[in-house]
Amino acid sequence: MRALILAAVFFVTSAAAASPCGSHGDRSSMVVTTTWLAAHQNDPNLAVLAVGDKSEYGKGHIPGSVYLDYHDLDYHDMSAQGGLTLELPPMPELAETFGKLGVTDASRIVLYTIGNGSTQTARVYLTLDAMGLGARTSILDGGLPIWQGEARSVTTEVRAVKPGRVTPCPQTDVIASLDYVRANLRHAGIDIVDARDPQYYSGASASRNRAGHIAGATSIPYGSLLDERGKLKSAEVLQQQFRAAGVKNGDQIVAYCHIGQQASLLYFVSRYLGYDVRLFDGSWEEWARHPELPAEMVQK
């Protein structure tokens, strides 16, 4: 996986503070700079959560940040029929997880990537969006490497956490089911978009014992969305990429990948650009299990 870095930061403005549970973020709230975070570090309701390798967190992290174990959100039951590698956990479990990290209903949340793993951070963002907290969640552009590259302070001190209470308001327009995808193949105005690396989309490499992509899907690889420093590309450049993939203004996007992690970054960028977007959580893992469901390969 390409070393890509993002951090998510809860956007603190009067508009964000007033955002009701259930709102989605937009371009004005979803990305913030290191300058912004440095200026708001002492805001009383700011909850900064670090995503990545815990050993790297121990070597140095943004002051005041609390470590979030990504595997606490890595819900799966492979013993169950139809079990998947990665699924959105039940809302009560999510409320408990974030509450233990000090998040409350009044929190402005910060998620930032410690090292590599922008897709994990984006997956956490999607999780918060599904909980109804999207309008108050943002991405810190560049993550910890940019923060450190600007000679901003880090610490090894781990602060005490006061548990909080989080009340989700679950959103129905974040996750798409297999039935939803199947019903909308080649549907005008609905774009199924594959976020995997190009060799999987083309069929040159197989995934989950099946080659190709969902029939009618287009390709926007997750690795193409950030620049070489791990920062989000400009909105203009991103829009050009989406148009080149056949995505038109006003279309709905259904993003998928191998298991639903890489496509979380495509989900985030799609929201950032103003698209109505869903994540097919089962992704290719679930689609490939059904030989009756159509797949295509790129003709050479």
Side-chain angles (χ1 to χ4, degrees), residues 241-260:
Q241 288 181 235
F242 278 57
R243 286 194 294 268
V247 179
K248 299 181 291 294
N249 290 337
D251 283 1
Q252 180 187 110
I253 293 172
V254 179
Y256 80 95
C257 55
H258 298 281
I259 61 172

Side-chain angles (χ1 to χ4, degrees), residues 116-153:
N116 302 330
S118 60
T119 58
Q120 288 189 353
T121 302
R123 178 76 189 193
V124 179
Y125 175 90
L126 175 139
T127 301
L128 290 165
D129 203 17
M131 294 172 68
L133 303 176
R136 293 171 284 163
T137 307
S138 309
I139 295 275
L140 173 66
D141 211 9
L144 184 61
I146 297 297
W147 179 272
Q148 290 180 303
E150 296 172 351
R152 299 186 186 276
S153 63

Side-chain angles (χ1 to χ4, degrees), residues 22-279:
S23 301
H24 294 296
D26 57 28
R27 199 178 306 177
S28 69
S29 66
M30 290 177 67
V31 176
V32 295
T33 66
T34 52
T35 300
W36 182 93
L37 179 56
H40 289 273
Q41 277 186 288
N42 295 321
D43 287 358
N45 289 328
L46 192 68
V48 185
L49 306 180
V51 182
D53 190 294
K54 191 171 185 179
S55 65
E56 294 300 316
Y57 172 81
K59 294 176 183 177
H61 49 267
I62 295 175
S65 65
V66 176
Y67 180 71
L68 184 158
D69 189 340
Y70 179 73
H71 295 295
D72 287 343
L73 307 180
D74 183 10
Y75 176 83
H76 61 278
D77 182 4
M78 298 303 289
S79 64
Q81 184 176 5
L84 298 167
T85 301
L86 182 62
E87 297 179 78
L88 196 70
M91 288 293 155
E93 291 186 18
L94 290 173
E96 181 180 3
T97 295
F98 285 103
K100 288 179 178 178
L101 298 172
V103 177
T104 73
D105 288 336
S107 289
R108 280 75 169 166
I109 304 166
V110 175
L111 309 170
Y112 72 90
T113 305
I114 300 166
N116 302 330
S118 60
T119 58
Q120 288 189 353
T121 302
R123 178 76 189 193
V124 179
Y125 175 90
L126 175 139
T127 301
L128 290 165
D129 203 17
M131 294 172 68
L133 303 176
R136 293 171 284 163
T137 307
S138 309
I139 295 275
L140 173 66
D141 211 9
L144 184 61
I146 297 297
W147 179 272
Q148 290 180 303
E150 296 172 351
R152 299 186 186 276
S153 63
V154 296
T155 184
T156 58
E157 180 181 353
V158 178
R159 72 173 181 85
V161 177
K162 179 182 178 181
R165 179 182 176 85
V166 182
T167 308
C169 46
Q171 301 304 294
T172 60
D173 61 349
V174 173
I175 299 298
S177 68
L178 182 143
D179 288 340
Y180 185 87
V181 177
R182 175 167 43 197
N184 286 286
L185 295 180
R186 305 186 192 281
H187 191 289
I190 299 181
D191 303 315
I192 312 299
V193 184
D194 190 324
R196 298 175 299 169
D197 288 332
Q199 69 267 25
Y200 296 105
Y201 175 79
S202 69
S205 297
S207 175
R208 271 37 186 192
N209 298 315
R210 193 174 180 187
H213 57 264
I214 294 174
T218 189
S219 173
I220 304 178
Y222 79 98
S224 71
L225 302 172
L226 306 179
D227 67 18
E228 65 280 358
R229 297 176 297 167
K231 298 184 71 174
L232 197 66
K233 291 181 178 178
S234 72
E236 293 75 17
V237 169
L238 292 168
Q239 286 284 22
Q240 290 174 2
Q241 288 181 235
F242 278 57
R243 286 194 294 268
V247 179
K248 299 181 291 294
N249 290 337
D251 283 1
Q252 180 187 110
I253 293 172
V254 179
Y256 80 95
C257 55
H258 298 281
I259 61 172
Q261 180 173 304
Q262 294 172 349
S264 296
L265 183 56
L266 179 58
Y267 174 94
F268 176 85
V269 172
S270 300
R271 283 268 181 228
Y272 175 76
L273 294 177
Y275 290 101
D276 177 14
V277 59
R278 312 285 192 275
L279 174 76

